[in-house]
Amino acid sequence: MRIFASIAAFLVFASANLGAWAQSETEAMAEKPSVPVFAEWLEGVRLEARERGISQATIDAALSDIHPNERVVELDRKQPEFTQTFEQYLEKRVSDIRIKRGREMMVKHRDSLRKVAEKYGVQPRFIAAIWGLETNYGAYTGGMNVVQSLATLAYDQRRAAFFRKQLFAALTIIDEGHIAAADMMGSWAGAMGQSQFMPTSFNAYAQDFDGDGRRDIWTTEADVFASIAYYLASHGWRGDMTWGRAVLIPAGMSPTEGDLAQTTPPKSCGRALKAHSKSLGLADWQKLGVRRLNGEALPEAPFAASMVQPGSTEGRAYLTYKNYRAILSYNCSNLYAMAVGHLADALKSAE
């Protein structure tokens, strides 16, 4: 009888707790706002666009027949984890074909690149290197409707605030006449044109270098070059220095250990810069035994540099300068910044 009494008591206890749990879950669901159906959500976007001063013509052109793109959500959810080594990454992106093509394009656009370089203080080879890595010198800029992609990601809720901001920035670009809604094509995440700017970056940095009244990063190379250069210049680029250099380091030296380790975390782009040492002058690195790859002394220049060791080669690393950080502002990845630097070095002969 005691067993049955215990079972009965347990069932009463469980039932009471299950009821309490169900009630708490119901209350939690009631407190959590539900996601509106897309048509309702889109109407809210239309209303906010009008409140922001976007013309009705632009709203109709950009937001008619818009529906969620499942492929965009799939790509956002399943971004592949990067597994290539540093050497594999460079081999693929700084290939002989890309170098050859880059030199040809620099010769073809030499006048525009030099004029842009003169105005913004960014060497042509770095403009061309970013152009080459982003879209293979304008050959591929993405084939998705930017407004639809941004609307999909803004509605999806995972990063809704960020993509909603990008969506209204895109509508502003269309409304200002820089490109027609139907022609605003780009990546699944909304990066646009030959420079692959997100809409907010376009509004902040895109340039009308040819003076035709449009900031055309899709089809006007002069505007593309100027936009890339202005972006870098706005993030601290210096035209009197390069990005960095490969160096030989003493046995056992590690950029992130001992006295070389950073004492405070980086303020921006931490995911890349946390792999770097603290910043020291080139003279200080020289005293610590760091040398050029040919064994000669480091340059006698008043540059500060941090060290990073992305590759697997023992006894080798890279000293990176201020311009390296400007490249990181474009894409916060050491592999990307290294690829830009290496490609720019390979393109130097075509300047």
Side-chain angles (χ1 to χ4, degrees), residues 30-46:
E31 292 175 359
K32 185 177 180 180
S34 61
V35 178
V37 297
F38 186 76
E40 295 174 359
W41 177 87
L42 188 61
E43 189 55 39
V45 170
R46 288 172 173 270

Side-chain angles (χ1 to χ4, degrees), residues 225-252:
F225 303 154
S227 298
I228 293 171
Y230 182 64
Y231 186 99
L232 293 175
S234 298
H235 287 83
W237 189 271
R238 285 183 53 175
D240 62 342
M241 67 168 60
T242 185
W243 64 278
R245 65 180 62 250
V247 292
L248 298 175
I249 60 176

Side-chain angles (χ1 to χ4, degrees), residues 247-253 260 280-298 307 315-317 319:
V247 292
L248 298 175
I249 60 176
M253 177 178 280
L260 295 182
L280 298 173
L282 290 183
D284 296 317
W285 288 115
Q286 175 74 20
K287 292 176 183 177
L288 291 173
V290 178
R291 297 291 184 269
R292 301 181 195 233
L293 285 185
N294 61 6
E296 294 182 358
L298 296 176
M307 180 181 290
R316 290 183 59 174
L319 292 181

Side-chain angles (χ1 to χ4, degrees), residues 265-286:
K267 295 181 180 179
S268 62
C269 194
R271 69 183 184 188
L273 288 175
K274 68 182 181 182
H276 288 239
S277 72
K278 64 183 180 182
S279 184
L280 298 173
L282 290 183
D284 296 317
W285 288 115
Q286 175 74 20

